[in-house]
Amino acid sequence: MEPKGEEINCLALKVKEIIQSSGCQNEDVIFLCIGSDRSVGDSLGPLVGTMLKEHTVPYRVYGTLENPVHAFNLKDTLKKIKKQFKKPLIFSVDACLGNQNQVGYVFLKDGPLVPGKALKKVLPEVGDYHITGMVNYIDPLPTMQFLNDTRLYTVMNLAKTIVKIITQASGETSGIK
């Protein structure tokens, strides 16, 4: 299920309002895109990060296909951010698993993201807000299997949608259709 234009506009407006009400300058707004390009389902974050950099959004972007932020370097990345910024506004971006009828949906939620939760990984909570894309659903099979069985088409559509939301929020026009 692909989000409709009005849903994208609504989420973009919410992101813009959050950024404006934070009082942060653009350079203190961070999109922390979490995931690994070694699994299709987990590649949403690095894809979004790469696309944001290509669109040259005015915000800081961590986590790209070239330099992903994942379970093994998340803590170090957070230390770098804490050292470099006094009080940044952090949006975490990650893939998530859930109900079958929600695959393809994008969620914007208040509060930190708990990365790796579906895979029972213990990682630090990250972000003031988080944007997740439902890449697949949970079934009785081992959860990791569902990240590996995720369709690249679904992940790409979610990445394009999230990038469209963020570029609209920044006031830029996105060339993504």
Side-chain angles (χ1 to χ4, degrees):
M1 170 107 190
E2 220 171 297
K4 295 175 184 69
E6 62 265 13
E7 293 166 333
I8 291 170
N9 292 341
C10 181
L11 287 172
L13 191 59
K14 283 183 182 172
V15 170
K16 186 176 190 164
E17 286 171 359
I18 291 166
I19 292 170
Q20 287 175 339
S21 68
S22 75
C24 286
Q25 300 299 315
N26 283 345
E27 57 272 6
D28 292 330
V29 176
I30 296 171
F31 284 87
L32 182 57
C33 304
I34 301 166
S36 169
D37 60 342
R38 294 176 184 247
S39 162
V40 171
D42 201 29
S43 65
L44 179 66
L47 271 171
V48 169
T50 297
M51 294 164 118
L52 287 174
K53 290 243 183 191
E54 288 170 352
H55 281 277
T56 59
V57 293
Y59 314 120
R60 303 286 178 138
V61 177
Y62 290 83
T64 61
L65 290 170
E66 184 179 6
N67 297 304
V69 174
H70 46 64
F72 300 115
N73 65 5
L74 179 60
K75 286 179 184 169
D76 288 340
T77 303
L78 291 172
K79 280 181 192 170
K80 276 187 217 169
I81 290 170
K82 274 189 177 152
K83 200 183 250 188
Q84 190 176 354
F85 301 93
K86 265 193 171 154
K87 212 169 175 339
L89 173 64
I90 301 175
F91 288 88
S92 301
V93 179
D94 200 4
C96 68
L97 299 170
N99 298 326
Q100 192 169 2
N101 62 343
Q102 292 178 316
V103 173
Y105 280 80
V106 173
F107 301 93
L108 169 64
K109 295 187 179 173
D110 193 349
L113 171 77
V114 184
K117 187 177 178 182
L119 300 178
K120 313 266 190 281
K121 290 184 180 177
V122 180
L123 295 168
E125 294 183 352
V126 289
D128 300 295
Y129 294 87
H130 61 279
I131 300 171
T132 53
M134 186 75 65
V135 297
N136 213 336
Y137 59 94
I138 298 176
D139 209 295
L141 289 175
T143 309
M144 191 64 202
Q145 188 62 36
F146 281 84
L147 281 176
N148 291 331
D149 285 345
T150 299
R151 295 194 60 214
L152 180 58
Y153 177 81
T154 302
V155 176
M156 281 301 292
N157 280 341
L158 283 165
K160 287 177 183 178
T161 299
I162 293 168
V163 169
K164 193 180 273 190
I165 290 164
I166 296 166
T167 55
Q168 277 187 31
S170 73
E172 296 178 23
T173 53
S174 169
I176 299 171
K177 292 186 176 151

